[in-house]
């Protein structure tokens, strides 16, 4: 009985494999890539547990267990770093992502071809302004001495504000400027998704007498939901990446208490000081949190019957 | 045409409808949102453009500079950039990286994304996990550096795009698009005896131009602007791509010595920085309109019904 | 069924993975080429934004013919952090070039890894170069655990910065040059509120600065040292024998903080100073935003740098002044140390027997031929010599190929390997010129000579003292700046509390280690 079941199983497997024979050919190169360029570095990532000495190589370096992890978690600023990192990544997820989706939908729905085209052509361009340039623009807007916004405040008799060096204002500046720069770029993928909607759905909706709001609510949004879910899940996987380049350019000593994130700390402590084991250990730490979140939310998505990662 | 009825764009088609009050408010909000956004986006763009044309003796900050009259513009920054020794060479290297990178990436990503989209595939869950793990666990610079060194890729342009040839993020996005394609098409091809490779080439690819273009664009932009790997892996100066050159310009004032020399003659350093931004956006500015063409055409219509 | 298959694929993957990782661990074989010795050199470009020397640069041929060396050049990135990353990555893979420029902080981490060769015995092999470049202080600069691990070439010249004030603004307001901190305050107030440029707008400030921090000029950094010098606490450290230690732990540092806070609160310093980067600061004084600053001689007075200011303010006139005296009569522009650019030889290169070849190369660079070729290019093409034998960019067939023009700059990229701040190069670097609009005669050299006569705090070697870990460094910088912005209230009780916390976090240990190091290396002064 068990035997025949086993036989049935294996024959099913053989059928499945035979059926997908050419699949394995398709997989040949991509999998080789993943093993060589992704898993070998992960194997090398064991320097997180070693006192890495360049001359001894990875396997020859002394095994020191969790010492690097402890250096990180015992940092004077550990909890603050974690809090700041989450504040920025969650803030951007909750703010920039919905804005990008709204932008994609409005571009799709706009019935003024001129407006639609010009926004679609320009919206992605700020992505190319490096943070060096963006900083110059923010300085011109917000500088306490001669920033435009402070000029307006002074015009109305107010006291100029030090937006860029004020701990209350700084987080908002990070989140808003990120949305400003990246919204159009993030919207591209949703615009691409919107192009796949079957127009006959809209015709049906019109026949049923749905208005524009209902159309967005019941057709447009559900059709791009799978892409939104994938994007959110993937961003949860890297939740402890809060945008190194941006923060590194924008922060200054007075706002370190709200600006310092894990990556900037690692850069100062690890990369610039030949502590590569530490840098890798922090990378693994971030990975564990990301993996936990990605698996957890994936399960949640599946429970609600959405399209999931796994 | 009566006033109450009109042809209105809905999705990709024009349909005759009678707009309701709710439709009007919806349209107003959409237009309003886009108009506000246009202004917000135009400010940094325009200020960067004017900044790149700023003469050396200009007084005022970046935003005041936006109102500088065009006849006072100076082209010194562009002249200096294009006249920079090595600009042409760097541009050529960047183009090579771009072409090699996008081709390699798409050739690797498309099959993988397609295979992952086959819901009946045995071991699919494992494969997904296999590609998500390295995405989440970023072990940092040195483990990859050691690999690239041992593979002898130092001082090869391929070192810039090979280690990052498949982006898990892009691959899974593409997978989700492939999954969205109607199953009947694939099944009917399979029933006709097509292998998976044939299904991919004959059925999937023609329907997926928009997403392939988009992902190709994502890859292209990331390779075109990749400064970090070029800095690490390329020692030979004749191999250096544009981002290295531009970064050297952006960071030029970081060093304290030899401040008496200025390789840009009359151009203010701020203008040089701004002009270099537009250099980095070139491929995108050229490519995007072509990609947009695929965005406005309906991708699925017809093929499903036909 | 599914599980079965999954495990099989998993097994196969693991096997593949293991076999691949084995070969990833393999070592590269060293192939010794016959013929000329190849020397790989990672250099710090003199003009980072100009390109590297072209492939047909005459220098390559001369070096090959004369020294039998095949020189391979790589320009390091133009940003110090990027340089550190590139060098350390190469170090991690034991892939360092034969000869490379490196910051002392990084070098001190490479040495314990056994990646760098000592150079003690090379000095004798380069008599000419050692006489010009490496004095006793230089040979000590990269000494780690008793051995010299780097050739420390002279960097920027000592005391090349000064406190500058707008003389035309003083004249407009009928004020005298301030000599004390009180007078300085008065002038700063007048510069802020009394419209010194008479343009009818309230758009000027007294003092201008930005945060420029390094190992020996900790927060608030170089641009504000003249203010802290008035209290005798300029620089990270005090290296006076009687009071050696971190300045921040001294009572006078608190007084200096109170003084700075007063300036900031009164709004008589350009409030953008905390947000400015170097370029913003340098653009700001050219736009006439403030009337007092600490600036570098060439950044201020070299032709290309002064020209925009000259065009904007033909009547404008900056003069170099003495640092203001504080309540106890102390005054200083700031601390100074000998500036070096370190070139190190990798242990790998030494093992391959390249050290002597490298010494020969460096010695040749110090010869007249190497000095002029790398410093200015080819005579008649990139420069001509004037009556005094000073290279000048005049009388050339193609002016674009002049050593100072974009076309010629590429062939002088290695000049910081041959320059040692000798008279010839200073005259050539800082020529006398007449400004375009105001027709003033200017020279960055005379400005520098004047700057060097002002009061400075000698701190030779203060940049080699131990540095704090990243957490302590952050605590230090963040705390001090929060006292100034008002996030922390600056009063004696809060200050004492903060100092306690600082000591507990490792500040005391840092202080003690620094003092011990200074004693050990004879860095203390009387």
């Amino acid at each position: 009985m068990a035997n025949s079941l086993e036989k049935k199983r294996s024959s099913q497997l053989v059928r499945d494999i035979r059926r997908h024979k050419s699949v394995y050919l398709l997989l040949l190169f991509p999998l080789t890539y993943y093993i060589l360029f992704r898993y070998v570095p992960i194997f090398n990532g064991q320097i997180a547990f070693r006192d890495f000495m360049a001359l001894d190589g990875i396997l020859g370096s002394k095994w020191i267990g969790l010492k690097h992890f402890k250096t990180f978690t015992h940092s004077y600023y550990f909890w603050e770093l974690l809090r700041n990192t989450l504040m920025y990544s969650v803030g951007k997820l909750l703010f920039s992502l919905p804005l990008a989706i709204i932008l994609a939908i409005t571009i799709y729905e706009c019935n003024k071809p001129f407006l639609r085209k010009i926004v679609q052509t320009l919206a992605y361009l700020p992505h190319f302004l490096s943070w060096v340039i963006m900083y110059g623009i923010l300085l011109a807007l917000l500088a306490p001495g001669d920033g435009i916004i402070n000029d307006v405040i002074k015009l109305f008799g107010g006291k100029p504000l030090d937006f860029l060096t004020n701990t209350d204002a700084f987080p908002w500046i990070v989140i808003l400027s990120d949305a400003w720069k990246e919204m159009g770029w993030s919207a591209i993928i949703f615009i691409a998704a919107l192009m796949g909607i079957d127009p006959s759905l809209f015709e049906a909706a019109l026949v049923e007498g749905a208005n524009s709001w209902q159309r967005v609510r019941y057709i447009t949004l559900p059709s791009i939901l799978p892409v939104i879910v994938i994007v959110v899940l993937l961003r949860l996987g890297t939740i402890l990446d809060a945008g190194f380049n941006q923060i590194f350019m924008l922060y200054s000593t007075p706002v370190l208490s709200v600006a310092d994130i894990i990556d900037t700390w690692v850069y100062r402590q690890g990369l610039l000081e030949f502590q590569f084991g530490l840098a890798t250990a922090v990378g693994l730490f971030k990975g564990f949190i990301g993996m936990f979140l990605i698996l957890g939310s994936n399960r949640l998505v599946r429970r609600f019957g959405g399209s999931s990662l796994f | 045409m009566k006033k109450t009825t009109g042809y209105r764009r809905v999705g990709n088609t024009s349909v005759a409808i009678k707009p309701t009050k709710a439709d009007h408010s919806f349209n107003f909000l959409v237009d309003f949102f886009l108009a506000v956004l246009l202004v917000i986006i135009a400010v940094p763009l325009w200020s960067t453009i004017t900044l790149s044309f700023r003469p050396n003796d200009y007084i005022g900050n970046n935003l005041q500079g936006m109102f500088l009259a065009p006849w006072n513009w100076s082209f010194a920054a562009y002249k200096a950039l294009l006249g920079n020794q090595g600009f042409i060479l760097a541009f050529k290297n960047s183009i090579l990286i771009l072409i090699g990178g996008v081709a390699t990436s798409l050739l690797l990503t498309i099959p993988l994304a397609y295979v992952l989209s086959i819901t009946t595939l045995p071991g699919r869950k494992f494969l997904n996990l296999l590609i998500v793990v390295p995405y989440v666990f970023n072990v940092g610079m040195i483990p990859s550096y050691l690999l690239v060194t041992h593979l002898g890729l130092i001082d090869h342009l391929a070192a810039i795009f090979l280690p990052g040839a498949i982006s898990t993020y892009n691959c899974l996005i593409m997978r989700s698009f492939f999954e969205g394609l109607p199953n009947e098409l694939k099944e009917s091809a399979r029933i006709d005896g097509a292998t998976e490779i044939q299904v991919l080439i004959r059925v999937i690819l023609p329907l997926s131009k928009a997403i392939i273009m988009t992902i190709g664009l994502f890859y292209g932009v990331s390779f075109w602007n990749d400064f970090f790997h070029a800095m690490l892996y390329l020692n030979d100066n004749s191999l250096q791509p544009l981002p290295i050159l531009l970064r050297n310009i952006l960071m030029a004032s970081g060093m304290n010595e030899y401040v008496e020399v200025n390789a840009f003659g009359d151009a203010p350093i701020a203008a040089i920085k701004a002009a270099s931004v537009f250099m980095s956006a070139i491929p995108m500015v050229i490519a995007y309109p072509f990609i947009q063409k695929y965005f406005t055409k309906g991708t699925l219509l017809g093929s499903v019904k036909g | 069924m599914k599980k079965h298959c999954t495990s099989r694929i998993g097994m196969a993957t693991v096997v593949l993975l293991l076999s691949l990782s084995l070969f990833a661990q393999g070592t590269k074989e060293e192939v010794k080429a016959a013929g000329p010795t190849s020397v790989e050199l990672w250099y710090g470009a003199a003009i980072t934004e100009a390109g590297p020397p072209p492939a047909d640069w005459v220098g390559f041929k001369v070096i090959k013919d004369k020294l039998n060396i095949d020189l391979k050049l790589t320009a390091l990135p133009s940003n110090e952090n990027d340089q550190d990353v590139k060098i350390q990555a190469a170090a991690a893979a034991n892939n360092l070039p034969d000869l490379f420029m490196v910051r002392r902080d990084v070098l001190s981490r490479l040495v314990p890894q056994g990646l760098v060769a000592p150079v003690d015995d090379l000095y004798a092999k380069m008599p000419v170069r050692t006489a010009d470049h490496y004095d006793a202080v230089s040979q000590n600069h990269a000494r780690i655990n008793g051995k010299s691990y780097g050739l420390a070439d002279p960097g920027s010249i000592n005391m090349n910065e000064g406190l500058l004030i707008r003389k035309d603004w003083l004249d407009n307001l009928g004020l005298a040059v301030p000599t004390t901190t009180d007078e300085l305050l008065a002038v700063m107030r007048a510069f802020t509120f009394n419209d010194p440029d008479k343009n009818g707008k309230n758009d000027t400030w007294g003092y201008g600065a930005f945060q420029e921090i390094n190992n020996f000029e900790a927060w608030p950094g170089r641009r504000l040292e003249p203010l802290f010098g008035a209290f005798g606490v300029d620089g990270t450290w005090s290296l006076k024998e009687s009071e050696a230690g971190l300045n921040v732990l001294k009572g006078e540092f608190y007084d200096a903080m109170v003084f700075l806070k007063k300036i900031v609160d009164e709004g008589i310093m350009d409030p953008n100073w905390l947000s400015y980067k170097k370029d913003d600061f340098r653009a700001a004084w050219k736009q006439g935003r403030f009337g007092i600053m600490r600036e570098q001689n060439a950044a201020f007075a070299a032709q290309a740098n002064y020209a925009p200011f000259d065009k904007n303010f033909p009547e404008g006139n900056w003069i170099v002044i003495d640092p203001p005296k504080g309540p106890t009569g102390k005054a200083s522009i700031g601390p100074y140390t000998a500036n070096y650019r370190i070139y190190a030889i990798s242990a790998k290169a030494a093992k391959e027997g390249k050290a002597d070849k490298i010494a020969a190369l460096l010695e040749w660079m110090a010869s007249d031929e190497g000095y002029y070729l790398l410093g200015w290019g080819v005579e008649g093409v990139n420069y001509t010599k004037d009556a005094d034998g000073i290279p000048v960019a005049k009388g050339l067939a193609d002016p674009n190929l002049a050593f100072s023009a974009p076309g010629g700059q590429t062939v002088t990229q290695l000049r910081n390997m041959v320059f040692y701040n000798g008279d010839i190069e200073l005259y050539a670097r800082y020529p006398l010129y007449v400004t375009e609009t105001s027709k003033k005669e200017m020279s960055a050299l005379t400005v520098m000579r004047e700057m060097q006569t002002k009061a400075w705090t000698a701190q030779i070697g203060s940049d080699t003292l131990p540095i704090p870990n990243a957490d302590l460094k952050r605590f230090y910088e963040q705390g001090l700046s929060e006292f100034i912005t008002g996030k922390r209230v600056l009063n004696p009780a809060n200050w004492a509390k903060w100092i306690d916390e600082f000591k507990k976090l490792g500040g005391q240990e840092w202080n003690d280690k620094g003092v011990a190091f200074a004693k050990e290396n004879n860095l203390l002064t009387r």
Side-chain angles (χ1 to χ4, degrees), chain B residues 5 8 20 25 32 90 141 150 210 219 229 269-270:
Chain B
T5 317
R8 212 160 59 82
T20 65
S25 70
F32 181 75
M141 167 180 80
H150 289 308
Y219 278 125
H229 294 105
I269 193 78

Side-chain angles (χ1 to χ4, degrees), chain C residues 35-47:
Chain C
T37 315
S38 88
V39 171
E40 212 182 322
L41 165 61
W42 289 8
Y43 67 98
I47 302 126

Side-chain angles (χ1 to χ4, degrees), chain A residues 244-286:
Chain A
F244 171 80
N245 286 325
Q246 180 194 18
I247 305 269
F248 194 68
M249 193 65 214
L250 296 191
Y251 76 175
S252 58
T253 52
V255 291
L256 277 172
S257 62
V258 294
D260 207 8
I261 54 171
I262 293 177
D263 286 352
T264 48
W265 184 86
V266 169
Y267 188 72
R268 294 197 311 268
Q269 177 88 41
L271 288 192
L272 295 182
E273 296 195 11
F274 208 81
Q275 295 194 31
F276 298 123
L278 177 65
T280 304
V282 175
L284 292 181
F285 172 88
K286 286 162 62 183

Side-chain angles (χ1 to χ4, degrees), chain A residues 22 33-34 38-39 44 103 108 112 120 124 128 133 136 180 183 195 206 211-213 234 280 287 308-309, chain B residues 9 11 17 22-23 31 37 40 62 130 135-136 139 143 162-163 166 168 175 196 277 284 288 292 295 299:
Chain A
S22 60
Y33 163 81
Y34 263 96
R38 294 304 185 89
Y39 278 93
N44 288 348
L103 173 61
Y108 184 70
K112 297 196 174 53
Q120 201 178 346
Y124 69 86
F128 289 92
I133 296 286
W180 191 9
M183 178 172 46
M195 293 308 147
L206 279 173
N211 68 26
S212 307
W213 295 100
L234 286 172
T280 304
S308 55
L309 266 187
Chain B
R9 183 178 166 278
I17 51 136
D23 289 332
D31 294 349
L37 195 86
I40 291 175
N62 289 357
L130 188 80
Y135 165 76
V136 173
V139 288
L162 263 188
I166 304 183
T168 301
R175 185 199 82 181
E196 292 298 339
V277 166
M284 180 68 188
Y288 197 64
Q292 261 184 341
F295 276 10
T299 40

